[in-house]
Amino acid sequence: VLVHVGDRQIWAALSSGSASVTVPAPGNVGSYAVWAEYPGSGPMGASTSEQAQLQVRSAEAVVALVDPGQGTFGTATTLRATVATRSGVPAEGTVRALVDSTEVASATLSGGGAHLSLPATILAGDHTVEVHYDGSDNVQAGTSPVLDWRVRSGPPVVDVALSNSLLPLPAGSTAELWLTVTATAASD
């Protein structure tokens, strides 16, 4: 028996007047005609079945992100995201990183994964991070679980001021200088 699924054809062997066939799903979402043809054998004439419709729907996306650890104000943080179907097929398309529900980065998936750069300008403090997958023709849109993320303020910024920068000083002599050191940002 020759089974047709859209433009695919699969042969199935008859056994006691019945045949069983496993039909791989077509590659794209849509509706596909399915029918069988019996070519005939001996006294049995050829026959073609009625057509049925196979409905292929988009797969559900599983969006995951790897915890990037603490961030530091003034330094970009790399976030790794992956998107696949429930059966493990890598997705294609675009992912977007959101910090506190505001989009801050986007990237194109490659092999179901992407690296997103969270900006160095995100202020110190506690934030939430999530990744949104925009979906494709064959995979539904989806969002990762929300991740709590802390950005620390980083090392202190220090200003150094010299009280007198132009001192006449003969070679080999010593001088006393007054420096003012001021921290302009705190460190965690």
Side-chain angles (χ1 to χ4, degrees):
V1 175
L2 180 61
V3 178
H4 298 266
V5 179
D7 59 358
R8 291 184 181 182
Q9 297 178 351
I10 302 161
W11 282 99
L14 278 175
S15 175
S16 301
S18 294
S20 177
V21 64
T22 300
V23 179
N28 293 316
V29 171
S31 182
Y32 296 87
V34 178
W35 73 97
E37 289 181 58
Y38 175 68
S41 175
M44 306 293 253
S47 178
T48 301
S49 72
E50 298 267 337
Q51 285 190 4
Q53 293 297 310
L54 172 65
Q55 193 68 32
V56 177
R57 290 183 233 142
S58 58
E60 183 179 345
V62 177
V63 183
L65 57 95
V66 177
D67 187 340
Q70 277 192 347
T72 301
F73 178 76
T75 303
T77 300
T78 300
L79 180 68
R80 168 104 173 120
T82 60
V83 183
T85 64
R86 289 223 174 266
S87 61
V89 177
E92 298 175 349
T94 302
V95 287
R96 295 178 286 120
L98 290 85
V99 174
D100 300 329
S101 300
T102 300
E103 183 178 337
V104 296
S106 66
T108 300
L109 291 167
S110 175
H115 289 93
L116 299 117
S117 182
L118 303 180
T121 56
I122 295 176
L123 298 177
D126 294 327
H127 301 277
T128 58
V129 176
E130 62 187 304
V131 172
H132 179 76
Y133 170 60
D134 291 340
S136 69
D137 290 342
N138 296 317
V139 182
Q140 299 168 9
T143 302
S144 72
V146 174
L147 179 73
D148 291 325
W149 182 52
R150 173 171 273 252
V151 175
R152 32 186 202 96
S153 61
V157 177
V158 178
D159 288 328
V160 179
L162 186 59
S163 61
N164 188 357
S165 60
L166 297 175
L167 297 173
L169 188 62
S173 7
T174 60
E176 188 173 310
L177 300 174
W178 293 94
L179 300 173
T180 303
V181 179
T182 307
T184 57
S187 176
D188 286 347

